[in-house]
Every structure is written in C-alpha cells, then in structure tokens.
Amino acid sequence: MTTLVLWRHGQTDYNLAGRVQGRVDIPLNDTGRAQAAAAAPGLAALGPSRVVSSPLERAHGTARELGALTGLSVTIDDGLLERSFGVWEGLDRAAMEKGWPEEFALWRAGGDPAGVGVETRAHAAERVGGTLARIADDAPEDATVVVAAHGAAITLGTTHLLGLDPAGWFGLRGLDNCHHATLRRTDRAPGWVLVEWNAGGGDTEPGTPAGFVS
C-alpha cells in the first residue's frame, strides 16, 4: 500500500518569534536549514520515490534538502499551501488577542472566527486532504512519497484522510519543526491508517510545535 510521509518544514524567524505565518512566504532560518539537513537522511532511508512540496519557501527549502540527498526533483503542489489566517498573518498572540478578543477566543477554542479571513478548518482539511489523496493516487503501488508542508495543513489534511470531523476533533498535537507523520493506505475504512506522528527530526532541537504558529 502507498505510504505518505508528511514532513513539516524547519524553523523560521516567525516560528521563533511566535508569529502566525499562514500564507506569508517566510524562508527557513539557520536553525531551520540545519533541521532539514539533519532530518533528510532519515527520510532518504525510507526509499521515497517522489518528493512533493507546498510552494511556500519554508516547505520547499526543506524539501530541497531531501531532493539533493536522493537525487529526486521536488514537485510543487499548490494544494499543500498552509491554512490561510487572513489579517492575523504576521501577528503574535498578544496582537491578535488585543485587536480581536472575541474572534481570538473563538479560534483558540477550535472555532472558525468570521470577518478576519481565516480559512475554516473544514475547508482546509478538505483541500489538503484531497490533495494528499490525489498525490497517493498518482503514486505507484507500494510507493513512499514524502510531502513537505505546514503544521496546520498536515494536521487538518490527516484528519480528513482518517475520516474525522475537523470542526470538532482535536486529537492530534501539532508537529514540531522538521518532524513528520506517516500514513499508510489500507483496504479498510477510512482507507488510511496513522502509523506514526511527530517522528524524526534529526539530531537538532525540535523547534516550535504547530499548536499556535504554522
């Protein structure tokens, strides 16, 4: 059965400062590049046949480390973009809570605040989960595909593949920078099994969990 390895990008300066990234195209910082280089050999040992990445540089830069090690080209897929956080992108927790106290409280409780441009959990889950399913459909039987993406995108996409309600189920802790999840296709419902979560990361510090920043 096809295996998907979902790899969160390495650390950025926004991660370090506790700022929401979303669609802002922030590159890896020095720590993030070191994390990607340290994690890449472990993923290369899985024998991936393909490497796919979000178009955002922090994910693409992470994926390139694996591509350089394996000789695989990195394919870009726009469906792997991070969840959009609208007007909150670039802000830290204090600024969000001060400017939009009710919307922030709803978001932190797992809801979908209106009027700030945040992509709903359900939409992001369907978008990313559908993209992951398509990537798996395009892969040879029994292939391993590494997908470099983002904390919220990976978590919500995984929720979708596992047949769970993204609006009311919060059982997955966010991935640390440059850690990965592994899902394997199965012939039993819901069609996927979660093999591991928040694994790997190489020999560097794990960096920022994805529970708040993306």
Side-chain angles (χ1 to χ4, degrees), residues 106-149:
L106 177 61
W107 179 57
R108 292 298 292 160
D112 291 316
V116 290
V118 174
E119 184 179 14
T120 66
R121 290 177 58 85
H123 185 273
E126 183 175 3
R127 171 177 60 81
V128 180
T131 300
L132 294 173
R134 172 173 51 77
I135 289 170
D137 288 342
D138 291 342
E141 187 176 356
D142 297 328
T144 295
V145 180
V146 175
V147 176

Short mmCIF file of all heavy atoms in Angstrom, two decimals, residues 106-149:
data_model
loop_
_atom_site.label_atom_id
_atom_site.label_comp_id
_atom_site.label_asym_id
_atom_site.label_seq_id
_atom_site.Cartn_x
_atom_site.Cartn_y
_atom_site.Cartn_z
N LEU A 106 -12.59 32.55 20.17
CA LEU A 106 -13.28 31.50 19.41
C LEU A 106 -12.29 30.62 18.68
O LEU A 106 -12.41 29.39 18.67
CB LEU A 106 -14.25 32.15 18.41
CG LEU A 106 -15.00 31.19 17.48
CD1 LEU A 106 -15.87 30.22 18.27
CD2 LEU A 106 -15.84 31.99 16.48
N TRP A 107 -11.28 31.24 18.07
CA TRP A 107 -10.27 30.47 17.33
C TRP A 107 -9.49 29.56 18.26
O TRP A 107 -9.26 28.39 17.95
CB TRP A 107 -9.32 31.45 16.62
CG TRP A 107 -8.23 30.78 15.85
CD1 TRP A 107 -8.37 29.86 14.85
CD2 TRP A 107 -6.83 30.99 16.01
NE1 TRP A 107 -7.12 29.49 14.38
CE2 TRP A 107 -6.17 30.16 15.07
CE3 TRP A 107 -6.07 31.80 16.86
CZ2 TRP A 107 -4.78 30.12 14.97
CZ3 TRP A 107 -4.69 31.76 16.74
CH2 TRP A 107 -4.06 30.93 15.81
N ARG A 108 -9.10 30.06 19.43
CA ARG A 108 -8.34 29.25 20.37
C ARG A 108 -9.18 28.10 20.93
O ARG A 108 -8.65 27.08 21.34
CB ARG A 108 -7.81 30.12 21.52
CG ARG A 108 -6.75 31.12 21.10
CD ARG A 108 -5.52 30.43 20.55
NE ARG A 108 -4.80 29.69 21.59
CZ ARG A 108 -3.94 28.71 21.34
NH1 ARG A 108 -3.73 28.31 20.11
NH2 ARG A 108 -3.31 28.13 22.34
N ALA A 109 -10.50 28.27 20.90
CA ALA A 109 -11.39 27.20 21.36
C ALA A 109 -11.67 26.19 20.26
O ALA A 109 -12.38 25.21 20.50
CB ALA A 109 -12.70 27.80 21.86
N GLY A 110 -11.12 26.43 19.07
CA GLY A 110 -11.30 25.50 17.96
C GLY A 110 -12.35 25.90 16.95
O GLY A 110 -12.64 25.14 16.02
N GLY A 111 -12.92 27.09 17.12
CA GLY A 111 -13.94 27.55 16.20
C GLY A 111 -13.37 28.26 14.98
O GLY A 111 -12.16 28.42 14.84
N ASP A 112 -14.27 28.70 14.12
CA ASP A 112 -13.90 29.40 12.89
C ASP A 112 -14.39 30.84 12.98
O ASP A 112 -15.56 31.12 12.73
CB ASP A 112 -14.52 28.72 11.67
CG ASP A 112 -13.92 27.36 11.39
OD1 ASP A 112 -12.68 27.23 11.45
OD2 ASP A 112 -14.68 26.42 11.10
N PRO A 113 -13.52 31.79 13.37
CA PRO A 113 -13.95 33.18 13.51
C PRO A 113 -14.30 33.80 12.17
O PRO A 113 -13.64 33.54 11.15
CB PRO A 113 -12.72 33.86 14.13
CG PRO A 113 -11.57 33.01 13.71
CD PRO A 113 -12.08 31.61 13.67
N ALA A 114 -15.33 34.62 12.17
CA ALA A 114 -15.77 35.31 10.96
C ALA A 114 -15.17 36.70 10.90
O ALA A 114 -14.83 37.29 11.93
CB ALA A 114 -17.30 35.39 10.93
N GLY A 115 -15.02 37.22 9.69
CA GLY A 115 -14.63 38.60 9.50
C GLY A 115 -13.15 38.89 9.54
O GLY A 115 -12.75 40.05 9.43
N VAL A 116 -12.30 37.86 9.70
CA VAL A 116 -10.86 38.10 9.75
C VAL A 116 -10.12 37.35 8.63
O VAL A 116 -8.90 37.41 8.54
CB VAL A 116 -10.26 37.71 11.13
CG1 VAL A 116 -10.72 38.68 12.19
CG2 VAL A 116 -10.61 36.28 11.50
N GLY A 117 -10.87 36.64 7.80
CA GLY A 117 -10.26 35.99 6.64
C GLY A 117 -9.59 34.66 6.93
O GLY A 117 -8.80 34.19 6.10
N VAL A 118 -9.89 34.05 8.08
CA VAL A 118 -9.28 32.76 8.41
C VAL A 118 -10.01 31.65 7.65
O VAL A 118 -11.24 31.55 7.71
CB VAL A 118 -9.34 32.49 9.93
CG1 VAL A 118 -8.84 31.09 10.24
CG2 VAL A 118 -8.53 33.53 10.68
N GLU A 119 -9.25 30.83 6.94
CA GLU A 119 -9.83 29.68 6.25
C GLU A 119 -10.42 28.72 7.28
O GLU A 119 -9.79 28.42 8.29
CB GLU A 119 -8.73 28.96 5.44
CG GLU A 119 -9.22 27.80 4.60
CD GLU A 119 -8.11 27.13 3.80
OE1 GLU A 119 -6.91 27.41 4.10
OE2 GLU A 119 -8.42 26.33 2.91
N THR A 120 -11.62 28.23 7.05
CA THR A 120 -12.23 27.33 8.02
C THR A 120 -11.46 26.03 8.10
O THR A 120 -10.79 25.60 7.16
CB THR A 120 -13.69 27.01 7.65
OG1 THR A 120 -13.72 26.26 6.44
CG2 THR A 120 -14.51 28.29 7.49
N ARG A 121 -11.56 25.38 9.25
CA ARG A 121 -10.91 24.09 9.44
C ARG A 121 -11.43 23.07 8.43
O ARG A 121 -10.66 22.29 7.87
CB ARG A 121 -11.15 23.59 10.87
CG ARG A 121 -10.42 24.38 11.94
CD ARG A 121 -10.76 23.88 13.35
NE ARG A 121 -10.45 22.47 13.52
CZ ARG A 121 -9.25 21.99 13.86
NH1 ARG A 121 -8.24 22.82 14.06
NH2 ARG A 121 -9.07 20.70 14.02
N ALA A 122 -12.74 23.08 8.19
CA ALA A 122 -13.32 22.10 7.26
C ALA A 122 -12.80 22.30 5.85
O ALA A 122 -12.47 21.33 5.15
CB ALA A 122 -14.85 22.21 7.29
N HIS A 123 -12.72 23.57 5.41
CA HIS A 123 -12.24 23.83 4.05
C HIS A 123 -10.77 23.44 3.91
O HIS A 123 -10.38 22.80 2.92
CB HIS A 123 -12.43 25.30 3.70
CG HIS A 123 -12.08 25.62 2.28
ND1 HIS A 123 -10.79 25.95 1.88
CD2 HIS A 123 -12.83 25.63 1.15
CE1 HIS A 123 -10.77 26.16 0.59
NE2 HIS A 123 -12.00 25.98 0.11
N ALA A 124 -9.95 23.82 4.87
CA ALA A 124 -8.53 23.48 4.81
C ALA A 124 -8.33 21.97 4.83
O ALA A 124 -7.48 21.42 4.12
CB ALA A 124 -7.77 24.14 5.96
N ALA A 125 -9.11 21.27 5.67
CA ALA A 125 -8.99 19.81 5.75
C ALA A 125 -9.34 19.15 4.43
O ALA A 125 -8.62 18.25 3.96
CB ALA A 125 -9.90 19.28 6.86
N GLU A 126 -10.42 19.60 3.81
CA GLU A 126 -10.83 19.01 2.53
C GLU A 126 -9.84 19.34 1.42
O GLU A 126 -9.50 18.49 0.60
CB GLU A 126 -12.23 19.51 2.16
CG GLU A 126 -12.77 18.89 0.88
CD GLU A 126 -14.20 19.29 0.58
OE1 GLU A 126 -14.76 20.10 1.34
OE2 GLU A 126 -14.76 18.79 -0.40
N ARG A 127 -9.35 20.57 1.42
CA ARG A 127 -8.38 21.00 0.39
C ARG A 127 -7.09 20.20 0.49
O ARG A 127 -6.62 19.63 -0.51
CB ARG A 127 -8.10 22.49 0.55
CG ARG A 127 -6.96 23.01 -0.33
CD ARG A 127 -6.77 24.49 -0.18
NE ARG A 127 -6.45 24.93 1.18
CZ ARG A 127 -5.23 24.87 1.72
NH1 ARG A 127 -4.21 24.37 1.02
NH2 ARG A 127 -5.02 25.32 2.95
N VAL A 128 -6.50 20.16 1.67
CA VAL A 128 -5.22 19.47 1.82
C VAL A 128 -5.40 17.96 1.78
O VAL A 128 -4.63 17.25 1.12
CB VAL A 128 -4.53 19.89 3.13
CG1 VAL A 128 -3.19 19.17 3.29
CG2 VAL A 128 -4.31 21.40 3.17
N GLY A 129 -6.44 17.45 2.45
CA GLY A 129 -6.68 16.01 2.42
C GLY A 129 -6.95 15.50 1.02
O GLY A 129 -6.47 14.42 0.63
N GLY A 130 -7.71 16.26 0.25
CA GLY A 130 -7.96 15.87 -1.13
C GLY A 130 -6.69 15.88 -1.97
O GLY A 130 -6.49 15.01 -2.83
N THR A 131 -5.83 16.85 -1.72
CA THR A 131 -4.54 16.91 -2.41
C THR A 131 -3.68 15.71 -2.07
O THR A 131 -3.07 15.09 -2.95
CB THR A 131 -3.80 18.21 -2.06
OG1 THR A 131 -4.59 19.33 -2.46
CG2 THR A 131 -2.44 18.28 -2.75
N LEU A 132 -3.62 15.35 -0.80
CA LEU A 132 -2.83 14.19 -0.38
C LEU A 132 -3.37 12.91 -1.01
O LEU A 132 -2.60 12.04 -1.44
CB LEU A 132 -2.84 14.08 1.14
CG LEU A 132 -2.14 15.20 1.90
CD1 LEU A 132 -2.38 15.06 3.41
CD2 LEU A 132 -0.64 15.22 1.60
N ALA A 133 -4.69 12.76 -1.05
CA ALA A 133 -5.28 11.58 -1.67
C ALA A 133 -4.93 11.51 -3.16
O ALA A 133 -4.62 10.43 -3.69
CB ALA A 133 -6.80 11.59 -1.48
N ARG A 134 -4.97 12.66 -3.83
CA ARG A 134 -4.61 12.69 -5.25
C ARG A 134 -3.14 12.32 -5.46
O ARG A 134 -2.80 11.58 -6.40
CB ARG A 134 -4.91 14.08 -5.83
CG ARG A 134 -4.40 14.29 -7.24
CD ARG A 134 -4.86 15.60 -7.83
NE ARG A 134 -4.62 16.75 -6.98
CZ ARG A 134 -3.45 17.33 -6.82
NH1 ARG A 134 -2.36 16.84 -7.42
NH2 ARG A 134 -3.32 18.40 -6.06
N ILE A 135 -2.26 12.85 -4.61
CA ILE A 135 -0.84 12.51 -4.70
C ILE A 135 -0.65 11.01 -4.53
O ILE A 135 0.13 10.38 -5.26
CB ILE A 135 -0.04 13.31 -3.65
CG1 ILE A 135 0.00 14.79 -4.03
CG2 ILE A 135 1.37 12.75 -3.50
CD1 ILE A 135 0.55 15.68 -2.94
N ALA A 136 -1.37 10.43 -3.58
CA ALA A 136 -1.26 8.98 -3.37
C ALA A 136 -1.80 8.21 -4.57
O ALA A 136 -1.24 7.18 -4.97
CB ALA A 136 -2.01 8.59 -2.10
N ASP A 137 -2.90 8.69 -5.15
CA ASP A 137 -3.48 8.02 -6.32
C ASP A 137 -2.52 8.01 -7.49
O ASP A 137 -2.51 7.06 -8.30
CB ASP A 137 -4.77 8.73 -6.75
CG ASP A 137 -5.93 8.48 -5.79
OD1 ASP A 137 -5.85 7.51 -5.00
OD2 ASP A 137 -6.90 9.27 -5.82
N ASP A 138 -1.71 9.05 -7.60
CA ASP A 138 -0.76 9.17 -8.72
C ASP A 138 0.52 8.36 -8.50
O ASP A 138 1.33 8.24 -9.41
CB ASP A 138 -0.39 10.63 -8.94
CG ASP A 138 -1.55 11.46 -9.48
OD1 ASP A 138 -2.51 10.85 -9.99
OD2 ASP A 138 -1.51 12.69 -9.37
N ALA A 139 0.72 7.85 -7.30
CA ALA A 139 1.95 7.13 -6.97
C ALA A 139 1.85 5.66 -7.35
O ALA A 139 0.76 5.08 -7.33
CB ALA A 139 2.25 7.25 -5.47
N PRO A 140 2.97 5.03 -7.69
CA PRO A 140 2.95 3.59 -7.94
C PRO A 140 2.53 2.82 -6.70
O PRO A 140 2.68 3.30 -5.57
CB PRO A 140 4.40 3.28 -8.32
CG PRO A 140 5.01 4.58 -8.69
CD PRO A 140 4.30 5.62 -7.88
N GLU A 141 2.01 1.62 -6.90
CA GLU A 141 1.61 0.79 -5.78
C GLU A 141 2.81 0.51 -4.87
O GLU A 141 3.92 0.26 -5.35
CB GLU A 141 1.03 -0.53 -6.28
CG GLU A 141 0.43 -1.39 -5.20
CD GLU A 141 -0.22 -2.64 -5.74
OE1 GLU A 141 -0.26 -2.79 -6.99
OE2 GLU A 141 -0.68 -3.46 -4.93
N ASP A 142 2.60 0.60 -3.57
CA ASP A 142 3.63 0.36 -2.55
C ASP A 142 4.72 1.43 -2.51
O ASP A 142 5.75 1.25 -1.85
CB ASP A 142 4.29 -1.02 -2.73
CG ASP A 142 3.29 -2.15 -2.54
OD1 ASP A 142 2.36 -1.98 -1.74
OD2 ASP A 142 3.44 -3.20 -3.19
N ALA A 143 4.50 2.56 -3.19
CA ALA A 143 5.49 3.64 -3.18
C ALA A 143 5.43 4.41 -1.87
O ALA A 143 4.41 4.43 -1.17
CB ALA A 143 5.25 4.59 -4.35
N THR A 144 6.55 5.06 -1.54
CA THR A 144 6.61 6.00 -0.42
C THR A 144 6.81 7.39 -1.00
O THR A 144 7.73 7.62 -1.78
CB THR A 144 7.76 5.66 0.53
OG1 THR A 144 7.50 4.40 1.15
CG2 THR A 144 7.91 6.71 1.62
N VAL A 145 5.94 8.32 -0.64
CA VAL A 145 6.01 9.70 -1.11
C VAL A 145 6.21 10.61 0.09
O VAL A 145 5.45 10.52 1.08
CB VAL A 145 4.73 10.10 -1.87
CG1 VAL A 145 4.84 11.55 -2.35
CG2 VAL A 145 4.46 9.16 -3.03
N VAL A 146 7.21 11.47 0.04
CA VAL A 146 7.43 12.47 1.09
C VAL A 146 6.80 13.78 0.66
O VAL A 146 7.06 14.27 -0.45
CB VAL A 146 8.93 12.66 1.38
CG1 VAL A 146 9.13 13.79 2.39
CG2 VAL A 146 9.55 11.36 1.91
N VAL A 147 5.98 14.34 1.53
CA VAL A 147 5.28 15.59 1.26
C VAL A 147 5.75 16.62 2.29
O VAL A 147 5.56 16.43 3.50
CB VAL A 147 3.76 15.40 1.36
CG1 VAL A 147 3.04 16.74 1.18
CG2 VAL A 147 3.27 14.39 0.33
N ALA A 148 6.36 17.70 1.84
CA ALA A 148 6.81 18.78 2.72
C ALA A 148 5.75 19.88 2.76
O ALA A 148 5.42 20.44 1.71
CB ALA A 148 8.15 19.34 2.25
N ALA A 149 5.25 20.15 3.95
CA ALA A 149 4.18 21.14 4.06
C ALA A 149 4.24 21.83 5.42
O ALA A 149 5.32 22.07 5.95
CB ALA A 149 2.82 20.47 3.81
#
